[in-house]
Coordinates of all heavy atoms in Angstrom, one line a residue:
M1 N 163.2 198.8 5.1 CA 163.0 197.7 4.2 C 162.9 196.4 5.0 O 162.4 195.4 4.5 CB 164.2 197.7 3.2 CG 163.9 196.8 2.0 SD 165.0 197.3 0.7 CE 165.4 195.6 0.2
N2 N 163.4 196.3 6.2 CA 163.3 195.1 7.0 C 162.0 195.0 7.8 O 161.8 194.0 8.4 CB 164.5 195.0 7.9 CG 165.8 194.8 7.1 OD1 165.8 194.1 6.1 ND2 166.9 195.4 7.6
S3 N 161.3 196.1 7.8 CA 160.1 196.1 8.7 C 159.0 195.4 8.0 O 158.6 195.8 6.9 CB 159.7 197.6 9.0 OG 158.4 197.6 9.4
P4 N 158.5 194.4 8.7 CA 157.4 193.6 8.0 C 156.1 194.3 8.0 O 155.2 194.0 7.3 CB 157.3 192.3 8.8 CG 157.9 192.6 10.2 CD 158.9 193.8 9.9
Q5 N 155.9 195.3 8.9 CA 154.7 196.1 9.0 C 154.5 197.1 7.9 O 153.4 197.4 7.5 CB 154.6 196.9 10.3 CG 154.3 196.1 11.5 CD 155.6 195.7 12.3 OE1 156.7 195.9 11.7 NE2 155.5 195.3 13.5
R6 N 155.6 197.4 7.2 CA 155.5 198.4 6.2 C 155.0 197.8 4.9 O 155.6 196.9 4.4 CB 156.9 199.1 6.0 CG 156.8 200.3 5.2 CD 157.8 201.3 5.6 NE 158.0 202.2 4.5 CZ 159.1 202.6 3.8 NH1 160.2 202.1 4.4 NH2 159.1 203.4 2.8
K7 N 153.9 198.3 4.4 CA 153.4 197.8 3.1 C 153.9 198.6 2.0 O 153.8 199.8 1.9 CB 151.9 197.8 3.2 CG 151.3 196.9 4.2 CD 150.2 196.1 3.7 CE 149.8 194.9 4.5 NZ 149.6 195.3 6.0
L8 N 154.5 197.8 1.1 CA 155.0 198.5 -0.2 C 154.2 198.0 -1.3 O 153.8 196.8 -1.4 CB 156.5 198.1 -0.4 CG 157.5 198.7 0.5 CD1 158.9 198.1 0.2 CD2 157.6 200.2 0.4
S9 N 153.9 198.8 -2.3 CA 153.3 198.3 -3.5 C 154.4 197.5 -4.2 O 155.6 197.7 -4.0 CB 152.9 199.5 -4.4 OG 154.0 200.1 -4.9
P10 N 154.0 196.6 -5.1 CA 155.0 195.9 -5.9 C 155.9 196.8 -6.6 O 157.1 196.5 -6.7 CB 154.1 195.0 -6.9 CG 152.8 194.9 -6.2 CD 152.6 196.2 -5.5
D11 N 155.4 197.9 -7.1 CA 156.3 198.8 -7.8 C 157.3 199.5 -6.9 O 158.5 199.6 -7.3 CB 155.4 199.9 -8.5 CG 156.2 200.9 -9.3 OD1 157.0 200.4 -10.2 OD2 156.2 202.1 -9.1
Q12 N 156.9 199.9 -5.8 CA 157.9 200.5 -4.8 C 158.9 199.4 -4.4 O 160.1 199.8 -4.2 CB 157.1 201.0 -3.6 CG 156.4 202.3 -3.8 CD 155.5 202.6 -2.6 OE1 154.9 201.7 -2.0 NE2 155.6 203.8 -2.2
A13 N 158.5 198.2 -4.2 CA 159.4 197.2 -3.7 C 160.4 196.9 -4.8 O 161.6 196.7 -4.5 CB 158.6 195.9 -3.4
H14 N 159.9 196.9 -6.0 CA 160.8 196.7 -7.2 C 161.9 197.8 -7.2 O 163.1 197.5 -7.4 CB 160.0 196.7 -8.5 CG 160.8 196.3 -9.6 ND1 161.5 195.2 -9.8 CD2 161.1 197.1 -10.7 CE1 162.1 195.2 -11.0 NE2 161.9 196.3 -11.6
R15 N 161.4 199.0 -7.0 CA 162.4 200.2 -7.1 C 163.4 200.1 -6.0 O 164.6 200.3 -6.2 CB 161.7 201.5 -7.1 CG 161.1 201.9 -8.4 CD 161.2 203.4 -8.6 NE 160.5 204.1 -7.5 CZ 159.2 204.3 -7.5 NH1 158.5 204.0 -8.5 NH2 158.6 204.9 -6.5
L16 N 163.0 199.7 -4.8 CA 163.9 199.6 -3.7 C 165.0 198.5 -4.0 O 166.1 198.7 -3.7 CB 163.2 199.2 -2.4 CG 162.6 200.3 -1.6 CD1 161.8 199.7 -0.5 CD2 163.7 201.2 -1.1
T17 N 164.6 197.4 -4.6 CA 165.5 196.3 -4.9 C 166.6 196.9 -5.9 O 167.7 196.6 -5.8 CB 164.8 195.2 -5.5 OG1 163.6 194.9 -4.7 CG2 165.6 193.9 -5.6
L18 N 166.0 197.6 -6.9 CA 167.0 198.1 -7.9 C 168.0 199.0 -7.2 O 169.2 199.0 -7.5 CB 166.2 198.8 -9.0 CG 165.5 198.0 -10.0 CD1 164.8 198.9 -11.0 CD2 166.5 197.0 -10.7
E19 N 167.4 199.9 -6.4 CA 168.3 200.9 -5.8 C 169.3 200.3 -4.8 O 170.4 200.8 -4.6 CB 167.5 201.9 -5.1 CG 166.9 202.9 -6.0 CD 165.8 203.8 -5.4 OE1 165.7 203.8 -4.2 OE2 165.0 204.3 -6.2
A20 N 169.0 199.2 -4.2 CA 169.9 198.6 -3.2 C 171.0 197.9 -3.9 O 172.0 197.6 -3.3 CB 169.1 197.6 -2.3
E21 N 170.8 197.5 -5.2 CA 171.8 196.6 -5.8 C 173.1 197.3 -6.3 O 174.1 196.7 -6.1 CB 171.1 195.9 -7.0 CG 172.0 194.9 -7.6 CD 171.4 194.3 -8.9 OE1 170.5 195.0 -9.5 OE2 171.8 193.2 -9.3
P22 N 173.0 198.4 -7.0 CA 174.2 198.7 -7.8 C 175.5 198.9 -7.2 O 176.5 198.7 -7.8 CB 173.7 200.1 -8.5 CG 172.3 200.1 -8.3 CD 171.9 199.4 -7.1
W23 N 175.6 199.4 -6.0 CA 176.9 199.8 -5.5 C 177.6 198.7 -4.6 O 177.1 198.2 -3.7 CB 176.8 201.0 -4.7 CG 176.7 202.2 -5.5 CD1 175.5 202.8 -5.9 CD2 177.7 202.8 -6.3 NE1 175.7 203.8 -6.8 CE2 177.0 203.8 -7.2 CE3 179.1 202.6 -6.5 CZ2 177.7 204.6 -8.0 CZ3 179.7 203.4 -7.4 CH2 179.1 204.4 -8.1
L24 N 178.7 198.3 -5.2 CA 179.6 197.4 -4.5 C 180.7 198.2 -3.8 O 181.0 199.4 -4.3 CB 180.3 196.4 -5.5 CG 179.4 195.5 -6.3 CD1 180.3 194.8 -7.3 CD2 178.8 194.5 -5.4
S25 N 181.4 197.7 -2.8 CA 182.6 198.4 -2.3 C 183.7 198.1 -3.2 O 183.6 197.2 -4.1 CB 182.9 197.9 -0.9 OG 183.4 196.6 -1.0
C26 N 184.8 198.8 -3.1 CA 186.0 198.5 -4.0 C 186.5 197.1 -3.7 O 187.0 196.5 -4.6 CB 187.1 199.6 -3.8 SG 186.6 201.2 -4.5
D27 N 186.4 196.7 -2.4 CA 186.9 195.3 -2.1 C 186.1 194.3 -2.8 O 186.6 193.3 -3.4 CB 186.8 195.1 -0.6 CG 188.0 195.7 0.1 OD1 189.0 196.1 -0.5 OD2 187.9 195.8 1.4
D28 N 184.7 194.5 -2.8 CA 183.9 193.5 -3.5 C 184.2 193.5 -5.0 O 184.2 192.5 -5.7 CB 182.4 194.0 -3.4 CG 181.9 193.8 -2.0 OD1 182.5 192.9 -1.3 OD2 180.9 194.4 -1.6
C29 N 184.5 194.7 -5.5 CA 184.8 194.9 -6.9 C 186.1 194.1 -7.3 O 186.1 193.4 -8.2 CB 184.9 196.4 -7.2 SG 185.4 196.7 -8.8
F30 N 187.1 194.3 -6.4 CA 188.4 193.6 -6.7 C 188.3 192.1 -6.6 O 189.0 191.4 -7.3 CB 189.4 194.1 -5.7 CG 190.2 195.2 -6.3 CD1 189.7 196.5 -6.3 CD2 191.5 195.1 -6.8 CE1 190.4 197.6 -6.9 CE2 192.2 196.1 -7.3 CZ 191.7 197.4 -7.4
D31 N 187.3 191.6 -5.8 CA 187.1 190.1 -5.7 C 186.6 189.6 -7.1 O 186.8 188.4 -7.4 CB 186.0 189.8 -4.6 CG 186.7 189.9 -3.2 OD1 187.9 189.9 -3.1 OD2 185.9 189.9 -2.3
Q32 N 185.9 190.4 -7.8 CA 185.2 189.9 -9.0 C 185.8 190.4 -10.3 O 185.4 190.0 -11.4 CB 183.7 190.4 -9.0 CG 183.0 189.9 -7.8 CD 181.6 190.6 -7.7 OE1 181.0 190.8 -8.7 NE2 181.1 190.7 -6.5
I33 N 186.8 191.3 -10.2 CA 187.1 192.0 -11.4 C 187.9 191.1 -12.4 O 187.9 191.3 -13.6 CB 188.0 193.3 -11.0 CG1 187.9 194.3 -12.1 CG2 189.4 193.0 -10.6 CD1 188.3 195.7 -11.7
D34 N 188.7 190.1 -11.9 CA 189.4 189.3 -12.8 C 188.4 188.5 -13.6 O 188.6 188.4 -14.9 CB 190.3 188.2 -12.0 CG 191.5 188.9 -11.4 OD1 191.9 190.0 -11.8 OD2 192.1 188.3 -10.5
F35 N 187.5 187.9 -12.9 CA 186.4 187.1 -13.6 C 185.7 188.0 -14.7 O 185.4 187.6 -15.8 CB 185.5 186.6 -12.6 CG 184.4 185.8 -13.1 CD1 184.6 184.6 -13.8 CD2 183.0 186.1 -12.9 CE1 183.6 183.8 -14.3 CE2 182.0 185.3 -13.3 CZ 182.3 184.2 -14.1
F36 N 185.4 189.2 -14.2 CA 184.7 190.2 -15.1 C 185.5 190.5 -16.3 O 185.0 190.4 -17.5 CB 184.4 191.5 -14.3 CG 183.9 192.6 -15.2 CD1 182.6 192.6 -15.6 CD2 184.7 193.6 -15.6 CE1 182.1 193.6 -16.4 CE2 184.3 194.7 -16.4 CZ 182.9 194.7 -16.8
A37 N 186.8 190.7 -16.2 CA 187.7 191.1 -17.3 C 187.8 189.9 -18.3 O 187.8 190.0 -19.5 CB 189.0 191.5 -16.8
E38 N 187.8 188.7 -17.7 CA 187.9 187.5 -18.6 C 186.6 187.4 -19.4 O 186.7 187.0 -20.6 CB 188.0 186.2 -17.7 CG 189.4 185.9 -17.3 CD 189.5 184.9 -16.2 OE1 188.5 184.0 -16.2 OE2 190.5 184.8 -15.5
R39 N 185.5 187.7 -18.8 CA 184.2 187.6 -19.6 C 184.2 188.7 -20.7 O 183.7 188.4 -21.8 CB 183.0 187.9 -18.7 CG 182.6 186.7 -17.9 CD 181.3 187.0 -17.2 NE 180.8 185.9 -16.5 CZ 179.6 185.8 -16.0 NH1 178.8 186.8 -16.1 NH2 179.2 184.8 -15.3
V40 N 184.7 189.9 -20.3 CA 184.7 190.9 -21.3 C 185.6 190.5 -22.5 O 185.1 190.6 -23.7 CB 185.2 192.2 -20.7 CG1 185.5 193.3 -21.8 CG2 184.3 192.8 -19.7
V41 N 186.8 190.0 -22.3 CA 187.7 189.6 -23.3 C 187.2 188.4 -24.1 O 187.4 188.3 -25.3 CB 189.1 189.4 -22.8 CG1 190.0 188.9 -23.9 CG2 189.6 190.7 -22.2
S42 N 186.5 187.5 -23.4 CA 186.0 186.3 -24.1 C 184.9 186.6 -25.1 O 184.6 185.8 -26.0 CB 185.5 185.3 -23.1 OG 184.3 185.6 -22.6
G43 N 184.3 187.8 -24.9 CA 183.3 188.2 -25.9 C 181.9 187.6 -25.6 O 181.0 187.8 -26.3
G44 N 181.7 186.8 -24.5 CA 180.4 186.2 -24.2 C 179.6 187.2 -23.4 O 179.9 188.4 -23.2
F45 N 178.5 186.6 -22.8 CA 177.6 187.4 -22.0 C 178.4 187.9 -20.8 O 179.0 187.1 -20.1 CB 176.4 186.6 -21.6 CG 175.5 187.2 -20.7 CD1 174.7 188.3 -21.1 CD2 175.4 186.8 -19.4 CE1 173.9 189.0 -20.2 CE2 174.5 187.4 -18.4 CZ 173.8 188.5 -18.9
I46 N 178.2 189.1 -20.4 CA 178.9 189.7 -19.3 C 178.1 189.7 -18.0 O 178.5 189.1 -17.0 CB 179.5 191.1 -19.5 CG1 180.4 191.1 -20.7 CG2 180.2 191.6 -18.3 CD1 180.9 192.5 -21.1
G47 N 176.9 190.2 -18.1 CA 176.1 190.3 -16.9 C 176.7 191.2 -15.8 O 177.3 192.2 -16.2
M48 N 176.7 190.8 -14.5 CA 177.3 191.5 -13.5 C 177.0 193.0 -13.5 O 177.9 193.8 -13.4 CB 178.9 191.3 -13.5 CG 179.2 189.8 -13.6 SD 181.0 189.5 -13.8 CE 181.6 189.6 -12.2
P49 N 175.7 193.3 -13.4 CA 175.4 194.8 -13.5 C 175.9 195.6 -12.3 O 176.3 196.7 -12.5 CB 173.8 194.8 -13.5 CG 173.5 193.5 -12.9 CD 174.5 192.5 -13.3
A50 N 176.0 195.0 -11.1 CA 176.5 195.8 -10.0 C 177.9 196.1 -10.1 O 178.3 197.3 -9.9 CB 176.3 195.0 -8.7
L51 N 178.7 195.2 -10.6 CA 180.1 195.5 -10.8 C 180.3 196.5 -11.9 O 181.1 197.5 -11.8 CB 180.8 194.2 -11.2 CG 182.3 194.3 -11.5 CD1 183.1 194.9 -10.4 CD2 182.9 192.9 -11.8
R52 N 179.5 196.4 -13.0 CA 179.6 197.4 -14.0 C 179.2 198.8 -13.6 O 179.9 199.7 -14.0 CB 178.7 196.9 -15.2 CG 179.2 195.6 -15.8 CD 178.2 195.2 -16.8 NE 178.2 196.1 -17.9 CZ 178.5 195.8 -19.2 NH1 178.8 194.5 -19.5 NH2 178.5 196.7 -20.1
A53 N 178.2 198.8 -12.8 CA 177.8 200.2 -12.2 C 179.0 200.7 -11.4 O 179.2 201.9 -11.4 CB 176.6 200.0 -11.4
H54 N 179.6 199.9 -10.6 CA 180.8 200.3 -9.8 C 181.9 200.9 -10.7 O 182.5 201.9 -10.5 CB 181.3 199.2 -8.9 CG 182.4 199.7 -8.0 ND1 182.2 200.2 -6.8 CD2 183.7 199.7 -8.2 CE1 183.3 200.5 -6.2 NE2 184.3 200.3 -7.1
L55 N 182.2 200.1 -11.8 CA 183.3 200.5 -12.7 C 183.0 201.9 -13.3 O 184.0 202.6 -13.6 CB 183.5 199.5 -13.7 CG 184.0 198.1 -13.2 CD1 184.2 197.1 -14.3 CD2 185.3 198.3 -12.3
I56 N 181.7 202.1 -13.6 CA 181.4 203.4 -14.2 C 181.5 204.5 -13.3 O 182.0 205.6 -13.5 CB 180.0 203.3 -14.8 CG1 180.0 202.4 -16.1 CG2 179.5 204.7 -15.2 CD1 178.6 202.0 -16.5
G57 N 181.2 204.3 -12.0 CA 181.2 205.3 -11.0 C 182.5 205.5 -10.2 O 182.7 206.5 -9.6
C58 N 183.4 204.5 -10.3 CA 184.6 204.5 -9.6 C 185.8 204.5 -10.5 O 186.1 203.5 -11.2 CB 184.7 203.3 -8.6 SG 186.2 203.2 -7.7
S59 N 186.5 205.6 -10.6 CA 187.6 205.8 -11.7 C 188.7 204.8 -11.4 O 189.4 204.3 -12.3 CB 188.1 207.2 -11.8 OG 188.6 207.6 -10.5
A60 N 189.1 204.6 -10.1 CA 190.2 203.7 -9.8 C 189.9 202.2 -10.2 O 190.7 201.6 -10.9 CB 190.4 203.7 -8.2
C61 N 188.7 201.7 -10.0 CA 188.3 200.4 -10.4 C 188.1 200.3 -11.9 O 188.4 199.3 -12.5 CB 187.1 199.9 -9.6 SG 187.5 199.7 -7.9
G62 N 187.6 201.4 -12.4 CA 187.4 201.4 -13.9 C 188.8 201.3 -14.6 O 188.9 200.6 -15.6
E63 N 189.7 202.1 -14.0 CA 191.1 202.0 -14.6 C 191.7 200.6 -14.5 O 192.3 200.1 -15.4 CB 192.0 203.0 -13.9 CG 193.2 203.4 -14.6 CD 192.9 203.8 -16.0 OE1 192.0 204.6 -16.3 OE2 193.6 203.2 -16.9
E64 N 191.5 200.0 -13.3 CA 191.9 198.6 -13.0 C 191.3 197.6 -14.1 O 192.0 196.8 -14.6 CB 191.6 198.2 -11.6 CG 191.9 196.8 -11.3 CD 193.4 196.6 -11.1 OE1 194.1 197.6 -11.0 OE2 193.9 195.5 -11.1
A65 N 190.1 197.8 -14.4 CA 189.4 196.9 -15.3 C 190.0 197.1 -16.7 O 190.2 196.1 -17.4 CB 187.9 197.3 -15.3
R66 N 190.2 198.4 -17.1 CA 190.8 198.6 -18.4 C 192.2 197.9 -18.5 O 192.5 197.4 -19.5 CB 190.9 200.1 -18.7 CG 189.5 200.6 -19.2 CD 189.6 202.1 -19.7 NE 189.8 203.0 -18.6 CZ 188.8 203.5 -17.9 NH1 187.6 203.2 -18.2 NH2 189.1 204.4 -17.0
S67 N 193.0 198.1 -17.4 CA 194.3 197.5 -17.5 C 194.2 196.0 -17.6 O 195.0 195.4 -18.4 CB 195.1 197.8 -16.2 OG 195.1 199.2 -15.9
L68 N 193.3 195.4 -16.8 CA 193.2 193.9 -16.9 C 192.7 193.5 -18.3 O 193.3 192.4 -18.8 CB 192.1 193.5 -15.8 CG 192.7 193.1 -14.5 CD1 191.5 192.9 -13.5 CD2 193.5 191.9 -14.5
V69 N 191.8 194.2 -18.8 CA 191.3 193.8 -20.2 C 192.5 193.9 -21.2 O 192.6 193.0 -22.0 CB 190.1 194.7 -20.6 CG1 189.8 194.6 -22.1 CG2 188.9 194.3 -19.8
Q70 N 193.3 194.9 -21.1 CA 194.4 195.0 -22.1 C 195.4 193.9 -21.9 O 195.9 193.4 -22.8 CB 195.0 196.4 -21.9 CG 194.3 197.5 -22.5 CD 194.8 198.9 -22.2 OE1 195.1 199.2 -21.0 NE2 194.7 199.8 -23.1
L71 N 195.6 193.6 -20.5 CA 196.5 192.5 -20.3 C 196.1 191.2 -20.8 O 196.8 190.4 -21.5 CB 196.7 192.3 -18.7 CG 198.0 192.8 -18.1 CD1 197.8 193.0 -16.6 CD2 199.0 191.7 -18.3
L72 N 194.8 190.9 -20.6 CA 194.2 189.5 -21.0 C 194.2 189.5 -22.6 O 194.4 188.5 -23.1 CB 192.8 189.4 -20.5 CG 192.7 189.1 -19.0 CD1 191.3 189.2 -18.5 CD2 193.3 187.8 -18.6
A73 N 193.8 190.6 -23.2 CA 193.8 190.7 -24.6 C 195.2 190.5 -25.2 O 195.4 189.7 -26.2 CB 193.2 192.0 -25.1
A74 N 196.2 191.0 -24.6 CA 197.6 190.9 -25.0 C 198.0 189.4 -24.9 O 198.7 188.8 -25.7 CB 198.5 191.7 -24.2
D75 N 197.6 188.8 -23.8 CA 197.8 187.3 -23.5 C 197.3 186.5 -24.6 O 197.9 185.5 -25.0 CB 197.2 186.9 -22.2 CG 198.2 187.1 -21.0 OD1 199.3 187.6 -21.3 OD2 197.8 186.8 -19.9
D76 N 196.0 186.9 -25.1 CA 195.3 186.1 -26.0 C 195.8 186.5 -27.4 O 195.3 185.9 -28.5 CB 193.8 186.3 -26.0 CG 193.2 185.7 -24.8 OD1 194.0 184.9 -24.1 OD2 192.0 185.8 -24.5
G77 N 196.6 187.5 -27.6 CA 197.0 188.0 -28.9 C 195.9 188.6 -29.7 O 195.9 188.6 -30.9
V78 N 194.9 189.2 -29.0 CA 193.8 189.9 -29.7 C 193.8 191.4 -29.4 O 194.4 191.9 -28.5 CB 192.4 189.4 -29.3 CG1 192.4 187.9 -29.5 CG2 192.2 189.6 -27.8
D79 N 193.2 192.1 -30.4 CA 193.0 193.6 -30.2 C 192.2 193.9 -29.0 O 191.1 193.5 -28.9 CB 192.4 194.1 -31.5 CG 192.3 195.6 -31.5 OD1 192.7 196.3 -30.5 OD2 191.7 196.1 -32.5
P80 N 192.7 194.7 -28.1 CA 191.9 195.0 -26.9 C 190.8 196.0 -27.1 O 189.9 196.2 -26.3 CB 192.9 195.6 -25.9 CG 194.0 196.2 -26.8 CD 194.1 195.3 -28.0
A81 N 190.8 196.7 -28.3 CA 189.9 197.8 -28.5 C 188.4 197.4 -28.4 O 187.6 198.0 -27.7 CB 190.1 198.5 -29.8
P82 N 187.9 196.3 -29.1 CA 186.5 195.9 -28.9 C 186.2 195.5 -27.5 O 185.0 195.9 -27.0 CB 186.4 194.6 -29.8 CG 187.6 194.7 -30.7 CD 188.7 195.4 -30.0
S83 N 187.1 194.9 -26.8 CA 186.8 194.6 -25.3 C 186.7 195.8 -24.5 O 185.8 195.9 -23.6 CB 187.9 193.7 -24.8 OG 188.0 192.5 -25.5
L84 N 187.6 196.8 -24.8 CA 187.5 198.1 -24.0 C 186.2 198.8 -24.3 O 185.5 199.4 -23.4 CB 188.7 199.0 -24.4 CG 190.0 198.5 -23.9 CD1 191.1 199.3 -24.5 CD2 190.1 198.5 -22.4
R85 N 185.7 198.7 -25.5 CA 184.4 199.2 -25.8 C 183.3 198.5 -25.0 O 182.3 199.1 -24.6 CB 184.0 199.2 -27.3 CG 184.6 200.4 -28.1 CD 183.9 200.6 -29.5 NE 184.1 199.4 -30.3 CZ 185.2 199.2 -31.1 NH1 186.2 200.1 -31.0 NH2 185.3 198.2 -31.8
R86 N 183.4 197.2 -24.9 CA 182.4 196.4 -24.2 C 182.3 196.8 -22.7 O 181.3 196.7 -22.1 CB 182.7 194.9 -24.3 CG 182.2 194.3 -25.6 CD 182.8 193.0 -25.9 NE 182.6 192.0 -24.9 CZ 181.5 191.3 -24.7 NH1 180.5 191.4 -25.5 NH2 181.5 190.3 -23.8
L87 N 183.4 197.3 -22.2 CA 183.5 197.8 -20.8 C 182.4 198.9 -20.6 O 181.7 198.9 -19.6 CB 184.8 198.3 -20.5 CG 185.9 197.4 -20.0 CD1 187.1 198.1 -19.7 CD2 185.4 196.5 -18.8
S88 N 182.3 199.8 -21.6 CA 181.3 200.9 -21.4 C 180.0 200.7 -22.1 O 178.9 201.1 -21.5 CB 181.9 202.2 -21.9 OG 182.7 202.0 -23.1
D89 N 180.0 199.9 -23.2 CA 178.7 199.7 -23.9 C 177.9 198.5 -23.5 O 176.7 198.5 -23.6 CB 179.0 199.5 -25.4 CG 179.7 200.7 -26.0 OD1 179.7 201.8 -25.3 OD2 180.2 200.6 -27.1
G90 N 178.6 197.5 -23.0 CA 177.9 196.3 -22.6 C 177.8 195.4 -23.9 O 177.0 194.5 -24.0
Ligands
ZN1 ZN1 186.1 201.0 -6.7

C-alpha cells in the first residue's frame, strides 16, 4: 500500500482503506472507551466505527464497555438497557 508504483483502481483503494481501519489494539480501545461510553449513554451520535468493531470482536473490551455504560447510566439515574442495546445496534 505504500508503494507509489502500484496502481490501484479507485474501488481497490477504497476496499484497502476500509480493511485497514477496523482493528484497534486493546490499548487504543482503552484510550477511547470512556469517551465512547459517554456518547452511548448520552444518546447522541456515536460514530467511532473502529472502536465499535473492536468491541464486537474483543470480548474483554466489549465487557468493559458494557460495565462502563452501566456505571454511567447509574450515575445519571437512567435505565442502562437502551444504552446497552446501542452498543450492539448503533
Ligand atoms: Zn480489546
Side-chain angles (χ1 to χ4, degrees):
M1 199 161 130
N2 293 326
S3 164
Q5 285 96 344
R6 194 152 158 229
K7 292 226 164 52
L8 291 172
S9 74
D11 183 53
Q12 282 171 319
H14 183 63
R15 277 214 305 274
L16 274 176
T17 313
L18 283 182
E19 282 164 18
E21 185 188 23
W23 285 99
L24 297 173
S25 71
C26 288
D27 280 348
D28 291 338
C29 178
F30 266 76
D31 284 345
Q32 302 173 32
I33 202 165
D34 288 344
F35 181 59
F36 172 76
E38 277 168 25
R39 281 191 177 190
V40 170
V41 174
S42 76
F45 174 71
I46 300 174
M48 306 176 84
L51 178 55
R52 297 174 65 120
H54 183 90
L55 295 180
I56 288 164
C58 176
S59 60
C61 293
E63 198 50 50
E64 177 72 14
R66 279 189 287 278
S67 305
L68 269 172
V69 163
Q70 281 170 324
L71 253 161
L72 289 171
D75 272 359
D76 289 353
V78 300
D79 180 3
S83 298
L84 289 172
R85 275 200 298 276
R86 276 161 61 79
L87 277 180
S88 41
D89 298 348

